[in-house]
């Protein structure tokens, strides 16, 4: 629909168009098409084929939008979606089966189960930093749960958005899965409609708009946001490995433009120099003497963000704290891996999520103070990291730091573990997905109770008498001794 | 009020609600509160709603006692982190999911089950380690006063607070930042709650309502089953707070040739349970207030609706009583058939074929519960797969509420989120993912500068194609 209009008369995608799209999908959903196991399997297999046959095009689109290195595109965008599809294909049968639930003496005789059913017509709004991953990974979940879907990719990654629109139309069932491209007006038009679920990946400001729009229709939402993901580095570790893993999670993930990128480091004053030196050494090993020449770093997505990051670096009392990097190329939208040491805690770079290649290191006297720093820093982040071999610190970290997910001795890799729910808390979001959690996120878990006609507890019904009260008390307690006693009392009374 | 909330936040920050022993002590104290004040609770419910002690015990006191006891016995299990599987690729690694309290939570409860709907979510919030502000409904004033006065006597005041008041207090509370809001009430207010929560990105659970239908297909089985069906329907309509319940049967669907049989059975049962006429009405709650009374009376004002009354219809404005009323095929576009009734009026809609009930139900928004009295296994399967509701209960009414292992919640216009049993604990928790890794072995290909070899290595690794990896490393695969 929208795709044909792009060429000549650029028709406006307004609320009416959005309404038509939803209506079409709802009509498809009502036929039961998306509910069938076979449909879900064919769509997932088609997506696998789509990724397999178009890898070079996807890599090229990502290079256009983000100068994303082929390695990252291949691994984090294509391979991870591939894995999700294959997991869903393998496990879907099992996920779709009703789950038996225990019943107690109180409702005897009865049996109970929980049945998963699709929510209906769902909206996935994705982000620009991993345009394929955060578009298709939720779509995999929505398909596996049997829904009809509209995907709204980010307009800030236009080549990826346009490629997604084309590929989804070519490979997937367009009567049930559609891509709507566009920016704020199109997204607003979509948000006015009634959806059965919305999954939004992005920032807190727009998330509030999404949730407010969802509230009008009582639509449940999953919000995958971000935050300042801290890394605590203790001096008792293998410094080289820790440094490399932090680099991989920071600059190796879209040059710091990732929701789970290490945002800032906290370490002890006496370890800071060693840490900075280790970073300098490993950064050069990874990206060469002039990182702006390296092919292995994404660029900054656009000039807005370039200016935003420049402002963070150039703030008075911050710019003097740069101990490594700082090189920029405005024309190519490049900023080199930059490390800052002990910027003021109330500077902009320490207040907002950086989402870029700047890494402040804050030093404390004692490691324990890092926990206070994290708690006082405002919103709960999407991820928090700790590098140490000390069991006590690990335990304290795990029990007291509140974040979407925690990793000890590595960064970002928890995204690849499908048995772990991926989502935020507080400002970093609500709800979760990945693996079976994706299936669950797009399902309604319907409770079903089967009762028979035998065993009608007469004491449920009026007329209500004190004797019935006693019996009822026993029955509700579920204790068989209590019930027998009360029954005996009833008969002997 | 802001001071109270600041205190709740401070208590939470200082870890006052974290320990299992604190949570257990609060739950035990709550149990004590209920046990030691049963009579006062019965009195308050009688005052606000005319509920009899049996109904009060069955639907409020007993339910709560059961819920606390169950939670106490399972708490340690629920609080324990759960292991998650880690692929071999990440060896050595340990993954787990650890439930954590969300922080400071706000619970709004409703007037029809003033104790259950306030304290059952409270049980969940406490068990998950949160601090709580409870805002009971002022439309059940005696119950609200009881809660305001009694809770501070038993529970930790620094962590659990109750605030009295009406809609204006509710609005003020919604302007503040919470870590979770749990709301039971109408869809209209649900929208306002969620819109307010959106400003702070506060997750919400909305327990709303809808028109809960009961499909009746067991009248031509055996006389005893037909009788039991009638009892369960009557018990499921007028039993819970005289129809003023989110899970009360709203209307019936039956085949037209069986309508008169159904009506006769229902009449007999109603008379036996509640009395012959409005003057001798007993064992039934009254309408909560003048406003709801007028609303229900207005539903019957439409002459076409009034004409369809086949039993009952009498009202007593002074006592706020409407007798159990049955209507046969009121107009489908009348208000009584488009709005949630929430009262003692029971429309019966007749169909040529009982299977048409599925389409009928689907023409309305998703209810909280669909009740289906049928022994036809195929029909049961069709109902399950072709309709959508929070819950489906076959051959009974109301009892699903007592099943701790079943999630209780809606879908679509009947709400989202769920509770009861462990689901209460979960709804007030954040499931935090945790991954522990070792420093060795190191997977070099993770790191730049990237080469084709590294790319192929990582691809195979991510596909968990360990055999392929070995081949690659031995030089048998080319990049």
């Amino acid at each position: 629909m929208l795709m044909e209009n792009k060429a000549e008369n650029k028709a406006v995608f307004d609320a009416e168009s959005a309404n038509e799209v939803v209506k079409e999908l709802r009509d498809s959903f009502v036929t039961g098409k998306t509910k069938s196991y076979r449909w879900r399997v064919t769509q997932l297999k088609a997506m696998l084929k789509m990724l397999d046959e178009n890898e070079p095009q996807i890599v090229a689109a990502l290079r256009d939008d983000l100068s994303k290195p082929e390695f990252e595109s291949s691994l984090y965008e294509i391979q991870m979606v591939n894995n999700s599809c294959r997991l869903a294909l393998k496990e879907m049968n099992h996920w779709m089966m009703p789950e038996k639930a225990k019943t107690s003496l109180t409702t005897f005789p009865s049996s109970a189960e929980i049945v998963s059913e699709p929510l209906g017509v769902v909206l996935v709004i994705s982000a620009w930093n991993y345009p394929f991953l955060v578009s298709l990974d939720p779509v995999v979940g929505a398909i596996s749960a049997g829904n009809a879907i509209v995907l709204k990719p980010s307009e800030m990654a236009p080549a990826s958005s346009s490629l997604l629109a084309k590929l989804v139309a070519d490979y997937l069932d367009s009567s049930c899965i559609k891509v709507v491209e566009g920016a704020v007006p199109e997204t607003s038009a979509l948000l006015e409609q009634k959806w059965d679920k919305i999954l939004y990946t992005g920032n807190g400001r727009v998330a509030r708009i999404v949730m407010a729009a969802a509230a009008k229709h009582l639509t449940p939402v999953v919000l995958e946001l971000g935050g300042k993901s801290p890394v605590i580095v203790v001096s008792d570790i293998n410094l080289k490995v820790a440094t490399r893993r932090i680099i991989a999670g920071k600059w190796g993930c879209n040059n710091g433009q990732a929701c789970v990128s290490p945002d800032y480091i906290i370490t002890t004053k006496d370890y800071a120099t060693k840490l900075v030196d280790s970073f300098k050494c490993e950064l050069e090993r990874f990206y060469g003497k002039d990182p702006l020449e390296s092919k292995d770093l994404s660029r900054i997505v656009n000039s807005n963000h370039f200016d935003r990051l420049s402002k963070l670096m150039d703030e008075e009392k911050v710019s003097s704290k740069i101990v490594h990097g700082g090189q920029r190329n405005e024309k190519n939208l490049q900023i080199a891996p930059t490390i800052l040491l002990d910027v003021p805690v109330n500077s902009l770079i320490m207040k907002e999520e950086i989402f870029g290649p700047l890494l402040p290191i804050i030093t404390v006297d004692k490691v324990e103070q890092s926990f206070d720093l994290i708690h006082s820093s405002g919103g709960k982040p999407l991820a928090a990291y700790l590098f140490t071999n000390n069991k006590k610190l690990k335990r304290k970290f795990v029990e007291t730091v509140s974040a979407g997910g925690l990793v000890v001795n590595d960064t970002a890799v928890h995204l690849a573990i499908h048995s772990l729910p991926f989502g935020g808390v507080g400002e970093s979001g609500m709800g979760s997905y990945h693996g079976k959690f994706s299936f669950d996120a797009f399902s309604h878990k319907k409770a079903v109770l089967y009762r028979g006609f035998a065993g009608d507890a007469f004491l449920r019904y009026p007329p209500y008498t004190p004797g019935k009260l006693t019996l009822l008390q026993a029955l509700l307690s579920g204790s068989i001794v209590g019930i027998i006693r009360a029954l005996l009392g009833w008969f002997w009374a | 009020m802001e001071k109270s909330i600041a205190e709740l936040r401070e208590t939470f920050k200082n870890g006052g609600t974290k320990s299992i022993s604190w949570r257990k002590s609060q739950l035990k104290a709550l149990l004590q509160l209920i046990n030691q004040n049963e009579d006062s609770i019965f009195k308050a419910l009688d005052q606000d709603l005319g509920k009899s002690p049996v109904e009060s015990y069955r639907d409020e006191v007993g339910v709560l006692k059961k819920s606390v006891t169950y939670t106490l016995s399972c708490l340690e299990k629920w609080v324990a982190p759960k292991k998650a599987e880690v692929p071999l690729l990440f060896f050595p690694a340990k993954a787990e999911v650890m439930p954590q309290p969300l922080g400071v939570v706000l619970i709004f409860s409703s007037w029809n089950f003033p104790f259950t709907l306030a304290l059952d979510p409270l049980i969940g919030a406490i068990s998950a380690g949160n601090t709580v502000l409870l805002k009971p409904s002022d439309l059940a004033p005696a119950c609200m006063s009881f809660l305001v006065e009694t809770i501070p006597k038993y529970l930790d005041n620094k962590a659990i607070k109750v605030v009295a008041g009406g809609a204006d207090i509710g609005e003020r509370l919604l302007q503040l930042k919470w870590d979770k809001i749990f709301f039971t009430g109408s869809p209209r207010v649900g929208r306002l709650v969620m819109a307010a929560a959106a400003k702070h990105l506060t997750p919400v659970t909305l327990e709303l309502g809808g028109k809960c239908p009961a499909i009746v297909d067991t009248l031509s089985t055996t006389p005893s089953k037909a009788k039991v069906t009638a009892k369960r329907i009557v018990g499921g309509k007028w039993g819970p707070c005289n129809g003023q319940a989110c899970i009360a049967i709203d209307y019936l669907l039956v085949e037209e040739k069986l309508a008169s049989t159904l009506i006769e059975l229902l009449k007999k049962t109603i008379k036996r349970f509640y009395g012959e006429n409005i003057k001798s009405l007993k064992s039934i709650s009254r309408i909560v207030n003048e406003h709801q009374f007028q609303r229900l009376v207005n539903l019957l004002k439409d002459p076409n609706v009034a004409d369809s009354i086949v039993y009952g219809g009498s009202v007593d404005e002074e006592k706020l009583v409407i007798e159990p009323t049955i209507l046969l095929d009121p107009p489908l576009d009348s208000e009584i058939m488009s709005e949630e009734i929430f009262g003692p009026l029971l429309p019966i809609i007749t169909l040529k074929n009982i299977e048409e009930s599925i389409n009928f139900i689907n023409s309305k928004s998703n209810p909280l519960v669909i009740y289906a009295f049928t022994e036809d296994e195929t029909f049961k399967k069709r109902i399950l797969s072709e309709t959508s509701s929070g819950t489906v209960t076959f051959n009974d009414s109301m009892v699903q509420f007592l099943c701790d292992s079943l999630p209780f919640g809606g879908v679509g216009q009947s709400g989202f989120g769920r509770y009861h049993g462990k689901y209460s604990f979960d709804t007030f928790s954040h499931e935090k993912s945790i991954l522990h890794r070792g420093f060795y072995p190191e997977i070099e290909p993770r790191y730049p500068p990237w080469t084709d070899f590294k790319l192929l290595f990582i691809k195979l690794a991510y596909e968990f194609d360990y055999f392929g990896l070995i081949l690659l490393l031995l030089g048998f695969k080319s990049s």
Side-chain angles (χ1 to χ4, degrees), chain B residues 42-334:
Chain B
F42 288 159
K43 199 157 141 234
L45 285 166
D46 181 47
Q47 207 174 319
D48 283 339
L49 296 155
K51 267 191 208 194
S52 83
V54 175
E55 191 183 327
S56 298
Y57 192 90
R58 186 195 67 204
D59 296 346
E60 308 237 26
V61 174
V63 167
L64 288 168
K65 281 196 202 181
K66 195 162 160 306
S67 182
V68 179
T69 315
Y70 182 67
T71 304
L72 276 166
S73 68
C74 297
L75 189 59
E76 309 236 352
K77 199 166 58 152
W78 294 348
V79 167
K82 264 154 230 39
K83 287 226 169 317
E85 220 185 271
V86 186
L88 198 61
L89 179 67
F90 293 92
F91 182 86
K94 185 176 84 153
E96 58 187 7
V97 178
M98 177 185 283
Q100 281 220 299
L102 288 166
V104 184
V105 313
L106 173 61
I107 297 175
F108 283 112
S109 64
S110 175
W111 51 262
N112 51 348
F113 294 89
F115 288 95
T116 308
L117 299 177
L119 301 179
D120 210 5
L122 180 66
I123 291 168
I126 293 174
S127 67
N130 299 278
T131 54
V132 186
L133 183 73
L134 173 59
K135 160 75 186 69
S137 168
D138 63 331
L139 298 180
C143 297
M144 179 176 72
S145 300
F146 174 88
L147 287 170
V148 169
E149 280 158 26
T150 322
I151 284 185
K153 295 196 183 126
Y154 286 81
L155 302 182
D156 180 351
N157 289 348
K158 294 218 221 33
I160 300 161
K161 295 187 191 292
V162 190
V163 68
D168 53 337
I169 299 286
E171 266 173 49
R172 271 177 64 194
L173 288 170
L174 284 174
Q175 301 308 314
L176 307 169
K177 178 173 172 6
W178 304 93
D179 298 306
K180 172 98 188 193
I181 300 178
F182 186 99
F183 172 80
T184 306
S186 72
R188 186 190 65 85
V189 182
R191 287 183 175 82
L192 298 173
V193 170
M194 188 173 169
K199 297 202 179 86
H200 300 285
L201 292 175
T202 299
V204 303
T205 292
L206 302 177
E207 296 273 333
L208 312 175
K211 290 181 81 61
C212 298
I215 302 173
V216 187
D217 187 33
T218 40
L219 295 175
S220 30
T221 50
T222 67
S224 73
K225 284 185 187 161
K227 261 210 235 144
V228 172
T229 302
K231 279 204 290 181
R232 291 178 179 181
I233 290 174
V234 172
K237 174 69 179 186
W238 294 282
C241 207
N242 200 5
Q244 300 164 105
C246 51
I247 51 175
I249 293 177
D250 189 279
Y251 65 98
L252 299 179
L253 292 160
V254 72
E255 270 178 9
E256 54 189 4
K257 61 183 197 265
L258 292 166
S260 42
T261 317
L262 177 60
I263 293 172
E264 285 315 304
L265 274 170
L266 291 175
K267 280 190 195 173
K268 269 209 212 103
T269 316
I270 290 171
K271 289 195 176 143
R272 204 169 77 228
F273 284 4
Y274 306 117
E276 287 290 321
N277 53 44
I278 193 170
K279 298 227 178 317
S280 54
L281 219 50
K282 53 185 168 43
S283 297
I284 194 169
S285 301
R286 64 154 208 267
I287 307 304
V288 66
N289 58 25
E290 181 69 36
H291 172 76
Q292 290 292 324
F293 181 88
Q294 285 306 332
R295 180 186 67 81
L296 289 162
V297 161
N298 285 341
L299 291 178
L300 298 175
K301 278 221 163 68
D302 180 341
N304 291 326
V305 174
D307 279 344
S308 67
I309 297 178
V310 293
Y311 180 83
S314 311
V315 308
D316 182 339
E317 183 159 357
E318 205 193 303
K319 298 211 184 89
L320 289 179
V321 167
I322 299 176
E323 66 168 329
T325 301
I326 303 176
L327 305 95
L328 179 58
D329 282 322
L332 293 180
D333 57 358
S334 57

Side-chain angles (χ1 to χ4, degrees), chain A residues 240-434:
Chain A
K240 181 159 157 210
V241 172
T243 312
R244 299 167 110 203
R245 288 180 179 183
I246 296 172
I247 297 177
K250 175 83 174 183
W251 297 282
C253 283
N254 209 22
N255 205 6
Q257 300 166 104
C259 49
V260 290
S261 273
D263 188 279
Y264 66 101
I265 294 185
I266 309 173
T267 192
T268 43
K269 285 192 164 36
D270 49 10
Y271 200 57
T273 327
K274 263 183 109 174
L275 185 57
V276 171
D277 287 341
S278 180
F279 268 117
K280 290 187 184 197
C281 179
E282 297 303 319
L283 279 170
E284 187 176 317
R285 198 203 303 266
F286 288 0
Y287 303 116
K289 277 204 164 10
D290 186 5
L292 297 186
E293 295 294 316
S294 168
K295 295 247 174 319
D296 294 330
L297 280 170
S298 296
R299 65 157 206 262
I300 307 306
V301 64
N302 61 26
S303 50
N304 274 349
H305 280 273
F306 183 91
D307 291 339
R308 179 184 67 81
L309 289 161
S310 296
K311 211 169 120 207
L312 295 182
M313 283 162 74
D314 295 338
E315 192 182 357
E316 198 190 323
K317 294 201 191 142
V318 170
S319 51
S320 52
K321 306 288 185 183
I322 295 178
V323 294
H324 181 84
Q327 306 97 301
R328 287 171 250 198
N329 181 324
E330 187 161 359
K331 181 161 149 284
N332 296 342
L333 293 176
Q334 286 174 297
I335 299 178
T338 301
I339 302 181
L340 307 94
L341 184 56
D342 277 325
V343 298
V345 165
N346 59 0
S347 54
L348 269 176
I349 201 175
M350 280 310 293
K351 290 244 257 312
E352 50 177 75
E353 185 179 359
I354 294 168
F355 224 70
L358 319 175
L359 182 67
I361 301 179
I362 306 292
T363 59
V364 291
D365 291 313
K366 292 214 306 235
V367 165
E368 287 74 11
Q369 291 169 301
S370 46
F371 295 108
D372 299 325
L373 200 66
I374 295 176
H375 289 143
S376 68
S377 71
K380 299 172 186 176
L382 191 52
Y385 306 107
L386 168 68
F387 283 86
T388 186
N389 280 315
N390 180 318
K391 277 206 170 79
K392 257 178 77 182
L393 279 173
K394 285 186 194 182
R395 173 140 357 138
K396 179 150 190 219
F397 178 69
V398 152
E399 285 175 5
T400 66
V401 173
S402 190
L406 305 178
V407 185
V408 175
N409 293 334
D410 209 331
T411 62
V413 288
H414 58 307
L415 261 70
I417 296 182
H418 284 145
S419 59
L420 288 175
F422 177 67
V425 64
E427 281 292 318
S428 51
M430 58 181 82
S432 60
Y433 72 122
H434 281 188

Side-chain angles (χ1 to χ4, degrees), chain A residues 122-139 142 149-155 164 178-184 186-193 195 197-203 206-211 213-214 219 221-225 433 442:
Chain A
V122 308
L123 175 63
V124 174
I125 302 176
S126 76
W128 54 260
N129 58 343
Y130 286 86
F132 287 87
L133 179 63
V134 303
S135 294
L136 298 175
D137 212 4
V139 169
I149 306 153
V150 168
L151 167 62
K152 160 70 189 67
S154 171
E155 72 280 13
L164 269 167
K178 293 189 189 294
V179 175
V180 171
E181 291 192 81
V184 173
E186 290 77 9
T187 312
S188 304
L190 287 171
L191 284 173
E192 278 181 44
Q193 309 309 312
W195 304 94
K197 184 106 185 195
I198 301 176
L199 189 147
Y200 168 78
T201 306
N203 65 62
V206 177
R208 283 168 168 81
I209 299 172
V210 171
M211 189 170 168
T219 299
V221 301
V222 171
L223 304 174
E224 296 274 333
L225 313 176
Y433 72 122
F442 290 103

